[in-house]
Amino acid sequence: MATSDNKTADTDEKIFIGKGEQTAWLTLALANRHGLVTGATGTGKTVSLQVMAEGFARAGVPVFAADIKGDLSGISEVGEAKDFILKRAKEMGLDFQPDQFSTVFWDVFGEQGHPVRATVTEMGPLLLARMLDLNDVQEGVLNVAFRVADENGLTLIDMKDLRSLLDAIVPDSRKKSADAEEDPFAEIRKIAQSYGNVSKATVGTIQRQLLVLENQGGTKFFGEPALALKDFMKTDSDGRGMVNILVADKLMESPRLYATFLLWLLSELFEELPEAGDLPKPKLVFFFDEAHLLFNDAPKALMDKIEQVVRLIRSKGVGVYFVTQNPIDVPDKVLAQLGGRVQHALRAFTPRDQKAVNAAAQTFRPNPKLDTARVIMELGKGEALVSFLEGGGTPTMVERVMIRPPSARIGPITPEERKAIMSKSPVKGKYDTAVDAESAYEMLQKRVAGTAAPADTADGDAGAGGGIFGQIGSIVGTIFGTNVKRGRLSTGQVIARDVTRSVTNRVIGGVAADLGKAVGGSLGGSIGRSLVRGALGGLLRR
């Protein structure tokens, strides 16, 4: 919030952002009211993001941020007392103290950070359809596939599971002769057709879109061990919040995959975290860079859900900060939920640019001393128009400020420095080796080979998982109620899901991987059938 306070250091209640005629503070207790950082390329958005991330980390708030260009990685290394930094600090009355912050790097492709994985089931049909750019008919068939998987105990973990399931629901057009072999998928095809027409052409289109996603690296995203969101919400030994950086330079080559992945993360946070109300500080702050990709060509149903998540995730103790070039990139309904504003310079070379400038000016609480629209076009590098929420939850008048210099390094780190950080990571070894648990692909292959148990007895037999593991799956399913029809999850069912994931996450290596296949095939299958997907995927806890 902006005040006349002359203090220029972070406190237990506020983060010092910058200084002009007034000092700009971000109040921690109001930081879960979300925010927006905008400005043209090269005007200082990334530095503002780093300053905010550093302030949250000092206050013990974990941070998640996507790093598009690699510049944000410098937050992990000690800052350098360069002349321009010292000059800016002195002008603000700051005593520049170099600092660094505990950082965990994540990478969907597993190249520059720990792999980030989700199961196909967790992603859900709506987000997967968005990722694949499917039309309404194709999305409908995808929903049929998910329903068939639930009702037949076919656990969907990775891409080959989904591919094999789609193959299984395609109508069999072969002519049947007296000596023809029995169709192992006849029952599955019949169930699929009972939900509506599933044509070979539509399934073929979905399969081709899956190929496009695979070529973009999507295969590495789907699998196990799946990400446990609690690993984003940790503090270091000094009580500072961990800074989680998603390496997104390669991911940005597939914009739809990038946007859908971050939306999935938001939806999982929304589904999994309990209600927290108004806290002294957030549990987690989430920076969504290149936010316009989230809203581009999004269907109305998805837009409504995005708005709902942004509005309600505040009560879970999560602050969401969108970073983009123009305020008009964010729909009005979402923009209305964003309490803080950091507006860097915009250039008005076209009518659309002029519209963006006027729109940006109108989102601020007017300051009689400033012509906001004119100042937006005059801001220098590192300057911004700032307005945060104050005590009563109302925005302060817009102020022109110079953003404080970051304490950590500005700019990217070297591959050697990244390697050193990865070697000391608190989640080292947890996600680095993929586990191929028994799931839909293996189960359907058994049907073809004539060794799978019939679908109507898969819950109670050991056939799907084999031996003792099938019996364990049935017993645990009965105890926790996970082998019942779809419905609201009980506490026991949630525990069962978490226990299953915990076991799977630890099943690594040769012999252990085989154990994971057995657990995934029986216990994992029964739990999978009780999953209730919200519109954004994940488990419905509301």
Side-chain angles (χ1 to χ4, degrees):
M1 85 190 235
T3 71
S4 59
D5 195 333
N6 291 321
K7 291 187 292 183
T8 52
D10 294 343
T11 72
D12 292 337
E13 300 177 351
K14 298 182 292 185
I15 299 173
F16 172 53
I17 300 297
K19 190 174 182 181
E21 288 190 11
Q22 305 290 336
T23 302
W25 298 94
L26 194 164
T27 303
L28 286 168
L30 299 172
N32 64 335
R33 306 293 179 91
H34 313 317
L36 180 68
V37 181
T38 53
T41 301
T43 56
K45 294 194 302 296
T46 301
V47 171
S48 292
L49 191 160
Q50 182 170 335
V51 167
M52 295 170 74
E54 290 182 2
F56 283 119
R58 284 194 194 95
V61 179
V63 172
F64 173 88
D67 189 12
I68 303 297
K69 297 175 293 183
D71 292 347
L72 194 57
S73 61
I75 199 171
S76 63
E77 298 295 329
V78 177
E80 303 171 49
K82 295 183 178 180
D83 290 342
F84 76 93
I85 292 177
L86 295 175
K87 180 181 178 182
R88 185 180 298 186
K90 184 177 180 180
E91 290 172 351
M92 295 182 179
L94 283 174
D95 181 17
F96 179 74
Q97 296 290 336
D99 204 349
Q100 65 185 128
F101 298 84
S102 299
T103 306
V104 179
F105 291 104
W106 303 89
D107 184 359
V108 167
F109 303 101
E111 297 172 356
Q112 301 182 67
H114 299 292
V116 183
R117 300 185 190 90
T119 66
V120 172
T121 292
E122 288 174 323
M123 178 62 65
L126 179 65
L127 287 182
L128 190 57
R130 161 79 166 162
M131 191 179 287
L132 297 174
D133 196 20
L134 303 183
N135 61 29
D136 290 344
V137 174
Q138 294 154 1
E139 182 179 343
V141 170
L142 191 62
N143 273 278
V144 168
F146 272 74
R147 176 63 70 86
V148 170
D150 279 354
E151 296 189 356
N152 285 269
L154 300 172
T155 310
L156 299 177
I157 294 178
D158 51 28
M159 297 283 272
K160 69 178 186 298
D161 290 329
L162 184 56
R163 278 195 175 279
S164 59
L165 176 62
L166 288 170
D167 287 338
I169 67 174
V170 173
D172 187 3
S173 57
R174 295 175 298 176
K175 292 184 178 180
K176 297 182 180 179
S177 59
D179 59 346
E181 294 183 2
E182 182 181 351
D183 181 6
F185 303 138
E187 185 176 350
I188 291 178
R189 300 186 207 277
K190 183 178 179 180
I191 294 173
Q193 291 297 330
S194 71
Y195 292 117
N197 182 38
V198 176
S199 70
K200 185 175 182 179
T202 301
V203 172
T205 301
I206 298 174
Q207 293 278 33
R208 287 192 293 274
Q209 290 301 95
L210 283 173
L211 178 61
V212 173
L213 183 60
E214 289 171 354
N215 290 340
Q216 294 175 345
T219 305
K220 295 184 179 181
F221 173 57
F222 293 105
E224 288 186 328
L227 176 67
L229 292 179
K230 64 182 181 181
D231 287 331
F232 280 166
M233 307 177 71
K234 292 184 176 181
T235 55
D236 63 17
S237 57
D238 296 325
R240 289 183 167 193
M242 298 292 294
V243 179
N244 299 275
I245 294 181
L246 175 69
V247 181
D249 51 352
K250 184 176 178 180
L251 185 60
M252 274 299 297
E253 296 174 5
S254 309
R256 192 175 292 272
L257 176 59
Y258 167 79
T260 310
F261 166 69
L262 290 190
L263 180 56
W264 169 76
L265 278 181
L266 269 182
S267 67
E268 286 290 291
L269 286 167
F270 174 69
E271 299 290 351
E272 291 194 14
L273 292 179
E275 292 288 331
D278 291 324
L279 302 172
K281 59 185 179 183
K283 291 182 179 180
L284 175 73
V285 170
F286 191 105
F287 289 96
F288 200 134
D289 202 359
E290 298 294 338
H292 65 280
L293 297 173
L294 177 61
F295 307 107
N296 286 352
D297 303 321
K300 184 179 183 304
L302 186 58
M303 283 299 306
D304 290 342
K305 294 304 175 182
I306 294 172
E307 179 196 349
Q308 180 189 41
V309 169
V310 172
R311 185 175 70 252
L312 298 180
I313 202 171
R314 174 181 72 82
S315 65
K316 307 295 183 85
V318 177
V320 181
Y321 289 75
F322 293 102
V323 184
T324 188
Q325 292 196 12
N326 291 323
I328 60 175
D329 292 336
V330 181
D332 290 343
K333 288 184 178 180
V334 176
L335 198 62
Q337 309 297 325
L338 311 182
R341 300 279 198 282
V342 178
Q343 175 66 64
H344 288 274
L346 290 175
R347 312 305 179 199
F349 299 122
T350 67
R352 185 180 186 276
D353 294 339
Q354 188 62 54
K355 179 182 178 182
V357 170
N358 292 331
Q362 292 169 10
T363 62
F364 287 105
R365 178 181 168 187
N367 184 338
K369 298 180 181 179
L370 291 176
D371 181 346
T372 307
R374 179 179 58 81
V375 172
I376 288 175
M377 295 185 288
E378 296 176 349
L379 292 170
K381 186 174 182 179
E383 280 190 302
L385 290 174
V386 173
S387 173
F388 294 115
L389 299 179
E390 54 187 357
T394 57
T396 60
M397 287 192 298
V398 59
E399 294 286 350
R400 181 175 184 171
V401 306
M402 180 66 74
I403 302 297
R404 70 176 290 179
S407 302
R409 182 188 300 177
I410 300 175
I413 61 175
T414 65
E416 292 73 21
E417 289 170 331
R418 185 185 299 272
K419 185 177 180 180
I421 293 170
M422 292 281 293
S423 68
K424 301 175 183 177
S425 170
V427 294
K428 179 183 178 182
K430 183 173 182 179
Y431 298 104
D432 299 334
T433 303
V435 176
D436 187 13
E438 183 176 276
S439 47
Y441 173 79
E442 289 82 8
M443 295 176 188
L444 292 171
Q445 288 297 310
K446 285 183 179 181
R447 284 177 182 256
V448 174
T451 60
D456 58 352
T457 62
D459 285 354
D461 290 347
I468 187 64
F469 294 108
Q471 297 174 33
I472 292 174
S474 177
I475 293 170
V476 173
T478 301
I479 293 173
F480 290 112
T482 57
N483 53 5
V484 297
K485 294 290 186 180
R486 296 158 63 101
R488 183 182 177 91
L489 284 178
S490 67
T491 301
Q493 290 171 308
V494 173
I495 293 172
R497 193 286 303 267
D498 291 342
V499 168
T500 303
R501 173 173 286 184
S502 177
V503 171
T504 304
N505 283 349
R506 288 165 175 77
V507 179
I508 296 174
V511 175
D514 293 336
L515 176 61
K517 285 180 178 291
V519 173
S522 53
L523 178 58
S526 63
I527 290 174
R529 286 190 294 281
S530 69
L531 290 174
V532 181
R533 298 183 189 86
L536 292 179
L539 295 177
L540 185 61
R541 295 176 179 242
R542 299 174 58 250

Coordinates of all heavy atoms in Angstrom, one line a residue, residues 128 271 531:
L128 N -7.7 -31.3 -21.0 CA -7.0 -32.1 -22.0 C -7.6 -31.7 -23.4 O -6.8 -31.6 -24.3 CB -7.2 -33.6 -21.8 CG -6.3 -34.5 -22.6 CD1 -4.9 -34.2 -22.5 CD2 -6.6 -36.0 -22.3
E271 N -8.5 -27.2 -5.7 CA -9.2 -28.4 -5.3 C -8.6 -29.0 -4.0 O -9.3 -29.5 -3.1 CB -9.1 -29.5 -6.4 CG -9.8 -29.1 -7.7 CD -11.3 -29.0 -7.6 OE1 -11.8 -29.4 -6.5 OE2 -11.9 -28.6 -8.5
L531 N -12.8 -41.5 -8.6 CA -12.4 -40.1 -8.8 C -13.6 -39.3 -9.3 O -14.3 -39.7 -10.2 CB -11.3 -40.0 -9.9 CG -9.9 -40.5 -9.4 CD1 -8.9 -40.4 -10.6 CD2 -9.4 -39.6 -8.3

